[in-house]
Amino acid sequence: MKHFFYHIPLLLLVAAGVAGCSDDDVNRAPQWQLDEQMSDDFDSWNPDKWGSDIWVTSKIYAFSQDNVAVEDGCLKLKVTSRASAGKLFTAGRVKSKFVIGGNTTVEIRARLPKHDAHVSTAIWMSDAPVAWKNPNAEIDIMESMPDDNWPDWKYSSGMIYWWTKATGVAIPSWVNFPKNQNWMQQTLGLTYARTTAELGEDFHVYRLERCDGHVRFYFDGVLYWDKDWKRSVPAPANFEWAVSMARPLLLSVESHTTPVADQLPAEFDIDYVHVYRLVNP
């Protein structure tokens, strides 16, 4: 199974990239090469690639490494009704120990928790919002919002900047901080994708491509959002970091929805993480 999807995404990337990373030269298709050091087929747990050093807290979940497992060739992030640390539910999440910069494609084949469990999950790239890492870009490749108001599926993809108010940190004049708050989110781009595909019944491929000033999102090989920061962001803001900034990859259960207890346990299954480098930028 993995060998089949191992080759097909690369072909799709090359085909799609003719009108993608080579806008200035349609005759020069991008060439992508798998970076094995930043890829994982989850045949076993690799502590050199993955950890749990995630700064985001939750009012719903206690996060535990006991809810993280590699089984049947998948990374499984489990959600259970086990109470812990004053929370009613326990869940798993991981963060890569490697960081992914520009001129890359990140592709994740995953199966979401069953819709009826109302478990929100995310595939995203960011890091702790501290002053010395400014500007801190967050890129959401997939953030699911299972809800009865969306009987099919809704998920979002977007980019958010975390700006930390600190001495010596340059902050654009258009950023206004809320009173008594030393940080804020600034949404640079956001789209909601909807699909009737059963995201909790089968695996689907989510892909992020960053090169040539573009940030592109794909679902099952189909481009559905393309942001060209060189054309869409007005001066004086400079958001080249969205395309090039090195970010860890996070695979997580999120606190945007409260799970339905009688629909648990549920699992967020990740078949593989493949990272490709552009070899002809």
Side-chain angles (χ1 to χ4, degrees), residues 143-166:
E143 191 165 32
S144 67
M145 305 290 180
D147 191 304
D148 286 339
N149 293 325
W150 295 76
D152 40 16
W153 280 87
K154 175 180 80 169
Y155 66 89
S156 64
S157 297
M159 292 174 209
I160 302 173
Y161 267 65
W162 295 85
W163 298 89
T164 302
K165 191 174 184 179

Side-chain angles (χ1 to χ4, degrees), residues 1 8 37 40 57 67 78 96 109 126 130 142 168 181 194 196 225 228 246 252 273:
M1 177 182 67
I8 294 300
Q37 298 301 313
D40 202 332
T57 59
N67 287 59
K78 303 181 180 183
S96 70
R109 185 173 186 258
S126 189
V130 295
M142 185 284 299
Q181 187 170 309
R194 293 185 64 179
T196 57
W225 195 37
D228 181 355
S252 61
V273 169

